[in-house]
Amino acid sequence: MAEPTATTDIWVSGTEAPEVSEWMVAGTDEGAQEMERDETVERSVEQRGSRVVDDWVVDDTVDDDERMIVNMGPQHPSTHGVLRLNIELEGEIVRRVKPIIGYLHTGMEKTAETLTFLQGGTNVTRMDYLAPLHNELCYSLATEKLLGVEIPPRAQAIRILMTELNRVSSHLVATATNGMDIGALSMMMYGFRERELILAFFEKTTGLRMNHNYIRPGGVAADLPDGWEEDVAEILERIPLAMRDYEDLLKENPIWLGRTRGVGIITVDECLAYGVTGPTLRAAGVPWDLRKSQPYSGIEAYEFDVVTGSRGDVYDRYRVRIGEMHQSLRIIEQVVDTMPRGDYKTADRKVSPPPRQRIDESMEALIHHFKIYTEGFKVPAGETYVAIEAPRGELGCYLVSDGSGAPLRMHTRAPSFSNLQALPIMMADSLVADTVACIASLDPVMGDVDR
């Protein structure tokens, strides 16, 4: 006789909430950040943030009267979202830092299991709100790998055009907020001003300034709009001119140099140990870029260089992002010059909805359109992992299908989550005044951390 198997209740976001029970209390304790009435005194002290208990490895020779615990955040403008830092100070020196996350948790990975593969794009695009098109591309590539469909060359070129524009807009925000945090308020206004050019083009192409759901399994939602060449040409003309102003403003500015050089240093070994990727890893001197090592969507057809630094400090991370914007504009220029003709989505009718005109002419096309948007399409059983180079580093999507129309499991390897782990290393034994510079140089997006 077979042994009885244990059953576990789960509650999926978006479904009817069950009554509160013991398993719910235990289930919501993940991350150990809720305070409960029956907590021990020791546990309550830790959860109130009056003690840091994780990484102290140096002999304790300082009197307790000289040590102070400061809570920074979660509602602090310089933490770039709802991030809380537990900082232990000795005078002006930061001895230990403990990042505490979870304040923005939305359960997006679990929600993905309740959506069809076609609806999944509306979910993943909200993870990293500064790089929505990269999230959409990564998810679509993973779905297409399980489907085994071919993507037309024009759709691939449009994907590269849109994601590289998104990289520029994301780096503009990073540079602008980095300047604002250190006191360069003009840089903040200039960065957001140039970003508007790109967001206006995104709105014209996708209908939205962010959270586009434009890149979908099988291709893209729509072809580029009329006059797109002129719009992109204006971006290619105005942003390099604006970036010269940024150079005049910051590159040799003695205050900027004093606040960023030799600050927040992280070595290559530390980057590798903590899984740090993207501009932070490249600023430490490692020329690792997935667009070169594991090319996707035909990006290997375009020429560009991997920008690196040498010191791994806040200044090098700023310089790497400036260099990467130039390289992305170089790629965009090549895409515009070589944009192929043809369809913008796969011809596989099991994945792509019928053309709009066919819906008015054919009852079968109307039924096909209705079924694909209500039931989605079925993906062969299997599992896969696909990674791309997002503005903050390696963005990966692990997808499992059981052969139905919705994922059995989806997990995202978010660059902000991994990069944030390195913050205690970066800030150890630094001045408390450098805290905001270190956070800004990592460019974290908390929606990317809490999923």
Side-chain angles (χ1 to χ4, degrees), residues 2 5 62 128 144 147 156 182 216 225 250 260 282 286 307 310 338 344 355 376-377 407 415 427-428 435 447:
T5 55
V62 179
D128 180 350
E144 289 158 4
L147 284 168
Q156 302 224 33
I182 299 179
R216 301 178 182 180
L250 298 179
T260 57
R282 289 190 282 275
V286 181
V307 183
S310 58
T338 60
Y344 56 87
F377 48 80
M427 289 178 58
T435 300

Side-chain angles (χ1 to χ4, degrees), residues 171-185:
H171 281 354
L172 282 173
V173 173
T175 310
T177 53
N178 200 348
M180 179 179 67
D181 288 342
I182 299 179
L185 292 180

Side-chain angles (χ1 to χ4, degrees), residues 398-415:
Y398 172 69
L399 209 53
V400 182
S401 172
D402 59 357
S404 66
L408 180 67
R409 178 80 173 97
M410 188 195 79
H411 175 65
T412 299
R413 192 275 181 201

Side-chain angles (χ1 to χ4, degrees), residues 130 132-134 161-173 191-210 212 231-232 234-236 238-240 243 246 325 328-329 332:
L130 291 178
L133 291 161
H134 288 87
L161 173 72
M162 298 295 279
T163 50
E164 291 306 315
L165 281 170
N166 200 169
R167 189 183 312 279
V168 175
S169 70
S170 178
H171 281 354
L172 282 173
V173 173
F192 277 88
R193 181 187 64 189
E194 270 66 66
R195 178 176 176 251
E196 279 300 305
L197 275 174
I198 298 175
L199 293 192
F201 177 69
F202 284 166
E203 186 174 11
K204 187 176 181 180
T205 305
T206 71
L208 293 166
R209 289 164 59 86
M210 59 194 299
H212 312 279
D231 295 333
V232 177
E234 184 182 4
I235 292 171
L236 291 173
R238 288 181 54 182
I239 289 188
M243 287 169 65
Y246 306 164
M325 282 193 275
S328 289
L329 293 172
I332 292 164

